[in-house]
Amino acid sequence: ADVFEFPASMGKVTFPHKKHQEMLKDCKKCHENGPGKIKGFGKDWAHKTCKGCHTELKKGPVGCTDCHKK
Ligand code: HEM
Ligand code: HEM
Ligand code: HEM
């Protein structure tokens, strides 16, 4: 799928995977050990990796409800 949806108690997170692939080019930004399921994926991983990058680049959602939509 081009877009993944991750259900969460805070509200569903919609992740445009294809857009990130095209924009970032480097799969290893997220897939340390190669493409496929990410070991340890979940709340802590996402807040570190997703929110971390958006914060660092000052681009992309960083507020809770910018990612989590009911
Ligand atoms: C998971 C809260 C910000 C993306 C979670 C979970 C909670 C949470 C409680 C676990 C959900 C569950 O157990 O059902 C928050 C709060 C935020 C915040 C309070 C603000 C301080 C963000 C932001 C992003 C994000 C900014 C995106 C850049 C995710 C993702 C998951 C997640 C992808 C994993 C869902 C899964 O494991 O399937 N968040 N979040 N969150 N959050 Fe957040
Ligand atoms: C999942 C490939 C870049 C985040 C996947 C999957 C593949 C893949 C094959 C498994 C899909 C499925 O289960 O149906 C790739 C390739 C990339 C790339 C070839 C580079 C061109 C990225 C980037 C990010 C990312 C840059 C983060 C910004 C994720 C996430 C999942 C995923 C969060 C779901 C992980 C899980 O459910 O455990 N990717 N990806 N990917 N990818 Fe990527
Ligand atoms: C934008 C989610 C990981 C860099 C976005 C957007 C979402 C999102 C929802 C807004 C897309 C739009 O407006 O069309 C996530 C989630 C991540 C993740 C859930 C983890 C699974 C990352 C990582 C990086 C990154 C690791 C950098 C290494 C960016 C950038 C944008 C963006 C640069 C801005 C794109 C633009 O303004 O055109 N992200 N992201 N993201 N993300 Fe992520």
Side-chain angles (χ1 to χ4, degrees):
D2 291 353
V3 177
F4 299 162
E5 287 188 348
F6 304 116
S9 53
M10 274 285 293
K12 176 180 76 182
V13 177
T14 303
F15 172 53
H17 185 245
K18 190 167 185 226
K19 181 174 181 172
H20 281 75
Q21 288 179 317
E22 289 170 353
M23 163 173 79
L24 300 171
K25 311 277 190 302
D26 186 5
C27 309
K28 296 209 163 177
K29 293 261 189 239
C30 296
H31 297 278
E32 258 185 89
N33 302 306
K37 291 281 176 203
I38 295 173
K39 198 169 155 258
F41 179 79
K43 178 173 179 276
D44 292 346
W45 186 94
H47 294 163
K48 183 164 171 269
T49 310
C50 313
K51 197 177 160 189
C53 180
H54 298 163
T55 303
E56 201 176 299
L57 296 181
K58 299 188 167 69
K59 253 184 174 181
V62 294
C64 310
T65 53
D66 296 336
C67 278
H68 293 277
K69 313 259 189 200
K70 293 276 188 189

